[in-house]
Amino acid sequence: MNFQPTPAVRIGLSVSAATGLYGVSFGALGVAAGLDVVQVVALSALMFTGGSQFAYIGVVAGGGSGAAAFGAATLLGVRNAVYGMQVNRMLRPRGWRRLLAAQVCIDESVATAVGQRDQDEQRRGFWTAGLGIYLLWNLCTAAGALLGDALGDPRRWGLDGAAVAAFLGLLWPRLSAREPIAIAVVCALATVLAVPFVPPGVPILIAASVAAAWGWRGGETA
């Protein structure tokens, strides 16, 4: 008996492989930022949202406080709550599946589901991408953390500045219209102006607040 994966499953598997392998970078960067292997692995297992994770270690690597790093990660993670409402309406998970769905509700799993028209395919795409990425991301995080720990001083390899580059890599594909580009420019300007006057980690909170205010004002005037 031959098993033929549906289109949603194939998409979910390909997205899982592409995204999950990127966890190696997070693992290495987390250790480069000063966290130990256990802390880096725990971040991926419990937080599990790439943008927020990179924001957290980016603030820590820059000398910011734990509170500033947590604040930056939280602000970026708010989008997952919006995704959760969408997934709840679309798939209507029940019982323990609802808790599991909340854990794997990320950009890629939601995008895979939304891209399908049939409800069964939406469900297959969401779970395939979500669970697949969770498994690979955590395995690759552990591998990257162990590898990063073995490399020694991260400054010899340029890893001390790689967190910013990795986060920009996540941001760049989303700059596909005038408004996101304008928001990015204004937030970047706010960050540059704030850096000389506030502690490390606070500029990213200021930038996130600017973006949130922009979005709120846009919603009010729409």
Side-chain angles (χ1 to χ4, degrees), residues 47 51-77 198-209:
M47 185 180 289
S52 294
Q53 291 180 231
F54 279 108
Y56 185 93
I57 63 173
V59 173
V60 171
S65 66
F70 177 79
T74 300
L75 284 172
L76 287 171
V198 297
V202 176
I204 192 173
L205 296 178
I206 293 174
S209 299

Side-chain angles (χ1 to χ4, degrees), residues 14-97:
S14 62
V15 169
S16 297
T19 306
L21 292 174
Y22 195 49
V24 173
S25 297
F26 175 74
L29 292 173
V31 171
L35 303 179
D36 61 36
V37 174
V38 174
Q39 289 172 325
V40 172
V41 171
L43 268 178
S44 274
L46 301 176
M47 185 180 289
F48 187 57
T49 170
S52 294
Q53 291 180 231
F54 279 108
Y56 185 93
I57 63 173
V59 173
V60 171
S65 66
F70 177 79
T74 300
L75 284 172
L76 287 171
V78 167
R79 72 190 191 282
N80 288 357
V82 179
Y83 293 159
M85 291 186 287
Q86 185 176 14
V87 168
N88 188 52
R89 289 195 305 267
M90 185 168 52
L91 304 182
R92 301 191 180 280
R94 293 290 183 266
W96 61 269
R97 290 182 181 84

Side-chain angles (χ1 to χ4, degrees), residues 96-119:
W96 61 269
R97 290 182 181 84
R98 190 180 184 121
L99 296 176
L100 185 58
Q103 178 67 2
V104 299
C105 184
I106 57 175
D107 296 340
E108 293 80 5
S109 60
V110 175
T112 302
V114 170
Q116 315 304 316
R117 294 185 178 181
D118 179 74
Q119 188 176 46

Side-chain angles (χ1 to χ4, degrees), residues 181-214:
I181 293 174
I183 293 174
V185 170
V186 171
C187 289
L189 180 60
T191 302
V192 170
L193 293 175
V195 165
F197 305 105
V198 297
V202 176
I204 192 173
L205 296 178
I206 293 174
S209 299
V210 170
W214 185 311

